[in-house]
Amino acid sequence: MKNRERYIAQLNRMHSGKGFIAALDQSGGSTPKALSQYGVQENSYTNEEEMYTLVHEMRTRIIKSPAFDREHILGAILFENTMNRKIDDQWTADYLWEKKNIVPFLKVDKGLADLANGVQLMKPISNLDELLTQAVDRNVFGTKMRSVIKEANAKGISEVVEQQFTVGLQIFEKGLIPIIEPEVDIYSIDKEKSEEILKKEILKQLSLLGKEVKVMLKLSIPTVNDFYSELMSNPNVLRVVALSGGYAQEEANHKLAQNHGLIASFSRALSEGLTVGLSDDDFNTKLGKSITAIYAASIA
């Protein structure tokens, strides 16, 4: 399949396919925690390379599982180290699409800046252009980048959304679809107010885009059910997906199912209960139950 044909097929799948996005993009400081939850402690590796090899083995096990299939999963978010490793002699993104028909995304942000005006902006992405070129070469479809909103501070939220869309447009111009992720902290005391300001700012930025520009949005599950329906119907928005945000899987699924059209892009909730010591049969069964439950909530 030519790259253009692949892109159109992936675009259509992400726009109208049934299923959810698997977030397999823990990186940097969150990698030891992800490994620990998987049952691999820090004394199991002595340097960063060994750590990333172990996390790639974990992700490979998930991706290659029979439960990790196109019937339930539309896309998977990787981070740079995973993109540059192989599964069965194929680059991870190619394996996902060619073997699984699952659309590959890449996490491109470099973490969060310090809290200011009630929010954490993204740190500068110094090598963004180089990273995007590499993503295109690796046949990645889109990207993801995260900011965090802690308080209903209008100035801070405006800065978050403006930064996300500015970088998002640069990503789109490289031929990739950006997932814009201004996460509202689920423990925020004024979460609902933050979401009201956030939606207003997103609509403002969407109104400035050319009609050819497509973005995806990754948002915390809203306090008010179906609050983001207006965003879903916007012609510039390819899809709106939800992060689990720290909710346990059962609670995240329950809340997600109350929001029609919103689909999951879960990380911790997806891998909940998966450990290195499980037999392949038990691992696949547990993963399959999680995938089935998240899928059901995503199509409710």
Side-chain angles (χ1 to χ4, degrees):
M1 177 183 283
K2 296 178 182 177
N3 283 354
R4 181 64 183 171
E5 292 171 343
R6 179 191 297 220
Y7 176 81
I8 295 300
Q10 293 175 342
L11 192 74
N12 291 335
R13 182 155 169 75
M14 288 313 310
H15 178 61
S16 56
K18 286 187 175 182
F20 68 94
I21 296 175
L24 306 175
D25 60 323
Q26 300 101 328
S27 62
S30 63
T31 302
K33 183 177 179 181
L35 280 172
S36 177
Q37 290 169 341
Y38 184 56
V40 177
Q41 303 309 317
E42 290 194 40
N43 60 8
S44 300
Y45 47 89
T46 58
N47 55 50
E48 193 174 78
E49 176 61 24
E50 289 179 8
M51 178 184 74
Y52 283 134
T53 296
L54 287 168
V55 85
H56 186 65
E57 289 172 0
M58 176 184 76
R59 287 168 178 152
T60 296
R61 193 180 188 192
I62 291 171
I63 290 168
K64 290 186 70 174
S65 170
F68 198 84
D69 64 11
R70 60 165 296 175
E71 303 305 319
H72 299 91
I73 298 169
L74 295 173
I77 305 171
L78 313 172
F79 85 114
E80 185 178 356
N81 190 280
T82 307
M83 177 184 73
N84 288 323
R85 290 179 184 260
K86 292 184 176 183
I87 299 176
D88 292 353
D89 296 322
Q90 283 187 289
W91 296 115
T92 304
D94 287 332
Y95 183 93
L96 279 166
W97 181 248
E98 293 173 14
K99 299 295 186 185
K100 296 277 188 167
N101 203 223
I102 291 171
V103 180
F105 291 83
L106 174 69
K107 166 188 160 71
V108 295
D109 69 80
K110 300 299 182 183
L112 300 169
D114 292 337
L115 186 69
N117 295 319
V119 304
Q120 288 180 276
L121 295 169
M122 294 183 290
K123 289 180 179 177
I125 311 172
S126 57
N127 67 332
L128 180 61
D129 192 68
E130 176 187 343
L131 185 58
L132 297 178
T133 297
Q134 192 175 38
V136 171
D137 289 343
R138 292 277 186 267
N139 292 319
V140 167
F141 171 75
T143 65
K144 191 217 79 162
M145 50 192 176
R146 173 177 173 259
S147 312
V148 174
I149 296 165
K150 298 277 190 180
E151 302 169 11
N153 182 308
K155 183 176 188 294
I157 294 173
S158 176
E159 289 173 342
V160 160
V161 178
E162 184 175 356
Q163 182 193 43
Q164 284 272 348
F165 273 83
T166 298
V167 179
L169 195 56
Q170 183 180 347
I171 290 165
F172 181 80
E173 288 171 351
K174 269 286 191 176
L176 300 161
I177 298 294
I179 299 178
I180 287 167
E181 183 184 4
E183 173 184 348
V184 177
D185 190 330
I186 63 169
Y187 302 110
S188 169
I189 59 170
D190 48 12
K191 177 173 178 284
E192 184 176 349
K193 181 62 178 176
S194 292
E195 289 162 350
E196 291 172 2
I197 299 169
L198 175 62
K199 184 169 79 168
K200 179 182 176 183
E201 290 297 326
I202 290 174
L203 288 168
K204 174 184 171 183
Q205 290 295 327
L206 288 171
S207 73
L208 302 176
L209 298 179
K211 63 181 182 180
E212 77 286 353
V213 179
K214 300 294 181 187
V215 301
M216 293 174 60
L217 301 170
K218 182 169 178 175
L219 307 171
S220 303
I221 302 170
T223 306
V224 177
N225 292 336
D226 293 327
F227 185 67
Y228 292 129
S229 296
E230 186 177 359
L231 299 178
M232 294 176 197
S233 62
N234 187 285
N236 292 109
V237 177
L238 188 66
R239 203 77 185 246
V240 182
V241 305
L243 54 105
S244 51
Y247 292 123
Q249 185 191 120
E250 185 176 355
E251 186 176 7
N253 287 341
H254 175 74
K255 290 178 178 294
L256 180 67
Q258 312 306 310
N259 288 270
H260 304 90
L262 191 63
I263 67 171
S265 177
F266 291 174
S267 174
R268 281 168 291 184
L270 172 66
S271 58
E272 189 173 288
L274 298 178
T275 59
V276 66
L278 290 174
S279 69
D280 286 345
D281 284 347
D282 288 344
F283 182 93
N284 293 334
T285 297
K286 193 163 194 63
L287 178 60
K289 287 180 178 177
S290 292
I291 287 172
T292 299
I294 295 169
Y295 173 82
S298 295
I299 65 169

